[in-house]
Amino acid sequence: MSRAPARREQRPPWAMIVGLALITVLSAVIIAVLLLGNPAADAAASATPSASQAPPSSAAASTSTAPTVSPTATAVAAPTAPELPEGLLPAGAVVTVTTEMLRIRSEPGLDGKVVETMSAGDAAYIENAIDAGPVSADGFAWYQVAYAHGRDVWPFQDVAPGGYVTGWMAAGDAAGPYVTLADVSCPQGPLDLDTLASRLTPWERLVCIGTRSVTIEGRAGCDGCGGVVAGASPTWLADLTQLEYVTAEGNSYPAVGFAVPPDGKVPKDHDVVRATLHVDDPAAATCAFDPPSDSTSARYEYDPVAVQVFCRERLVLDSFKVTGHDSFPD
């Protein structure tokens, strides 16, 4: 019986395998060099992106692990008061007495009769008037003020008639001021008719409204209003007797006065209107007060900057829309 020839054992082709492995490694090295290039050159290039290079996307930025802070809905920015010359006190502002005793006199000057005496910590209100001061007499700067004992906020709606006095106060001397301007705290929420009339003085309106506008609604008109403040210009802005008013429907208060520019339309009396107003009108830069020579105001010189600040505080009509009619008080 013949036997089949034994099969010869086949050995792996080591030379070929090693050769192929070397070729593979060399190819990988060449590809890596081509893809990565010069690391130093690439770092310099990434520090100075070309004009066509797009900025990082917001999606990429959002992958940062830094904590995020959510805004607080009730947060209110601190009010920013307009800059005033050193020592100047604006009309329509509350001041706090910082000296031990401060007299209020019947007229500017040491010859004026003393009508009231204030103590340290007391508050007074600089009158909302173009001639409220400062005026110079006997070496002092005098302001016309209103004072009610124990009262530190104004207006005076809740003070009985005769419950306060008015007169002139010296603001300080060479050694320092006698009073300081009270801090302004702006109310949160919309500045509506009641807030503007009852909770904010003219100076506080200027601080709190700033460059914004406000919208109020009420009945237009003011029965019995009128008159002229001689020497106040431009009349439409500097003369308070020229103001138009919006009052609460069916009532005479609260009431807010506003100036109407010469080219503006005046609301009709008894129309219920939604009025948009602003403060710090550019025309305030032209305000002046030059009272006629036969008036008592002509005895004094009035600070032109104080006059301009007075005008900056005025509410000025932007526009209005008639929404109804109110016959009160007919």
Side-chain angles (χ1 to χ4, degrees):
M1 178 174 165
S2 63
R3 303 174 67 179
R7 296 182 62 183
R8 184 177 179 179
E9 183 181 359
Q10 295 185 349
R11 297 179 178 179
W14 295 109
M16 182 179 295
I17 293 173
V18 171
L20 290 173
L22 289 174
I23 292 172
T24 301
V25 171
L26 289 174
S27 300
V29 171
I30 292 171
I31 292 171
V33 170
L34 291 175
L35 290 176
L36 297 177
N38 187 337
D42 287 348
S46 64
T48 311
S50 65
S52 61
Q53 196 169 357
S57 66
S58 58
S62 66
T63 61
S64 171
T65 57
T68 58
V69 179
S70 300
T72 303
T74 58
V76 177
T80 302
E83 291 187 9
L84 297 172
E86 185 177 359
L88 181 67
L89 302 173
V94 176
V95 295
T96 304
V97 177
T98 56
T99 191
E100 184 178 350
M101 181 180 65
L102 185 58
R103 297 180 177 90
I104 299 176
R105 298 179 181 272
S106 58
E107 59 181 314
L110 299 178
D111 291 336
K113 179 183 177 181
V114 176
V115 296
E116 186 60 272
T117 301
M118 298 183 292
S119 303
D122 283 348
Y125 174 68
I126 299 178
E127 295 279 24
N128 179 33
I130 198 170
D131 58 353
V135 297
S136 297
D138 297 328
F140 299 93
W142 298 82
Y143 289 86
Q144 191 174 15
V145 298
Y147 168 74
H149 181 71
R151 176 77 174 181
D152 61 357
V153 292
W154 273 260
F156 281 123
Q157 278 72 36
D158 58 351
V159 178
Y164 62 93
V165 298
T166 60
W168 292 85
M169 167 197 80
D173 58 19
Y178 299 154
V179 297
T180 184
L181 191 61
D183 292 335
V184 173
S185 179
C186 297
Q188 298 186 24
L191 300 179
D192 56 14
L193 175 66
D194 184 64
T195 301
L196 290 177
S198 308
R199 298 177 57 191
L200 294 176
T201 68
W203 168 247
E204 290 170 333
R205 292 176 188 173
L206 178 60
V207 174
C208 296
I209 297 174
T211 58
R212 297 183 300 159
S213 60
V214 294
T215 300
I216 59 176
E217 189 164 3
R219 185 186 74 257
C222 179
D223 295 325
C225 294
V228 174
V229 177
S233 64
T235 303
W236 69 270
L237 181 61
D239 185 353
L240 291 186
T241 65
Q242 306 301 312
L243 296 185
E244 299 293 329
Y245 284 83
V246 167
T247 63
E249 293 183 57
N251 208 328
S252 298
Y253 191 84
V256 170
F258 56 89
V260 180
D263 58 351
K265 185 178 179 180
V266 179
K268 294 180 180 179
D269 288 356
H270 301 291
D271 275 347
V272 176
V273 298
R274 184 178 297 116
T276 301
L277 313 165
H278 68 270
V279 293
D280 209 358
D281 193 272
T286 67
C287 278
F289 183 50
D290 184 20
S293 58
D294 60 349
S295 69
T296 55
S297 298
R299 294 181 295 172
Y300 311 104
E301 292 185 2
Y302 295 90
D303 188 320
V305 177
V307 171
Q308 291 173 9
V309 172
F310 168 82
C311 286
R312 292 177 65 184
E313 295 173 349
R314 306 281 65 82
L315 288 163
V316 177
L317 181 67
D318 283 325
S319 61
F320 69 91
K321 179 180 180 180
V322 177
T323 61
H325 187 80
D326 179 10
S327 59
F328 179 88
D330 295 343

